[in-house]
Amino acid sequence: MEKLLQINNIHTSFQTHAGEVQAVRGVSIDLYKGEAVGIVGESGSGKSITMMTLMRLLDSNGEIKEGEILFEGKDLVKLSEKEMEGIRGNDIGMIFQDPMTSLNPVLTIGDQISEPLIKHGKMSRSEVRKKVIDMLELVGISSPEKRMKQYPHEFSGGMRQRVMIAMALICQPKLLIADEPTTALDVTIQAQILELMKDLKEKLNMSIIIITHDLGVVANLCTRINVMYGGIVVESGKAREIFYNANHPYTWGLLRSIPNPKLDTKERLIPIQGTPPDLLKPPVGCPFAERCDWAMKICFDNMPENYNISEDHYSACWLNHPDAPKVNRNDDGRDN
Ligand SMILES: Nc1ncnc2c1ncn2[C@@H]1O[C@H](COP(=O)(O)OP(=O)(O)OP(=O)(O)O)[C@@H](O)[C@H]1O
Ligand code: SF4
Ligand SMILES: [Mg+2]
């Protein structure tokens, strides 16, 4: 399989009155053609900023300090703003975290979806209209001729999310980035949107990066999962490895907090205690040390290296050092 994207050791910071916020601290993620990968982690772990770095859409106080982002071999970090404009929308489509702020309330859905096609000026008005109707149909919006004349407020949350997908896909990008595409939706609609993305991935042979704080969301869609914490990827591997052979204590915590429909969720849902690290003064050692039941002295003093667990699976945890005690995820007794 051929790689579409290679994010290599990206560091992104924001200058604020309080100091430098080190939001992304050396993230590396690979993506193959036609593959879906997940980025999972709790609020503030740097998921969105990693993708905003890729899209070169950082706020004005943000800066890429280090690293490269190879997309089809081209380093996006080095491209001019004009060159990036050509890539955004055309080669890489993005669904942003908040659909209501991404849709313009005073423009019809049809006008918003067709905007990039009109901007490129390569199609006649009737061709654009046909393309928009086809796309609305593809994302499962019925009566597209009627619906394209309506405004965002006339759509339900789930339908708005379908519109967002149609907007991101209208130029047939090679890569779709979806930032929390289902968080605001109820469980049934959530499942429908994920099914739609899976279906579109096959139909359009597209690669997908999906961001979520819920491991359950990526289980069916993604072949590989990257778990982020405190601005770094703490564990990365094939989805089945992450679900059945997770290595990092933070991933164990995430797995414990997935609701299990077969069990009494009130009893089984165990949130991870504590708060994430302050990225103004990131810890020198493992970012999870303050909250980890297995933390050792070395964890506070030194950043763990990435230990290979199996092919294509690594974990940044000192427990994999040959001198560390042998533990497994049930050792704290809370899971029994
Ligand atoms: N413009 C900014 N100025 C200063 N800090 C920022 C800015 N944008 C983001 N950050 C900080 O960068 C860190 C990472 O943010 P990011 O949005 O990537 O988190 P996330 O993992 O996407 O979280 P969530 O699940 O809440 O969306 C956070 O600490 C955030 O406060
Ligand atoms: S490196 Fe140490 S603190 Fe970090 S997750 Fe592993 S055991 Fe816990
Ligand atoms: Mg985010």
Side-chain angles (χ1 to χ4, degrees), residues 139-176:
V139 300
I141 294 180
S142 51
S143 319
E145 286 95 344
K146 184 177 132 223
R147 294 297 252 165
M148 67 188 285
K149 294 189 196 115
Q150 295 181 325
Y151 293 88
H153 72 268
E154 296 174 77
F155 286 70
S156 67
M159 283 297 155
R160 272 202 293 267
Q161 200 53 294
R162 286 173 193 262
V163 170
M164 298 294 299
I165 296 175
M167 273 172 77
L169 296 185
I170 194 74
C171 291
Q172 293 186 334
K174 294 165 188 154
L175 166 62
L176 173 69

Side-chain angles (χ1 to χ4, degrees), residues 248-250 286 288-289 292 294-296 299 304 316-319:
H248 198 283
Y250 176 64
C286 169
F288 193 53
C292 179
W294 295 271
M296 303 164 279
C299 305
C317 174
W318 282 119
L319 288 174

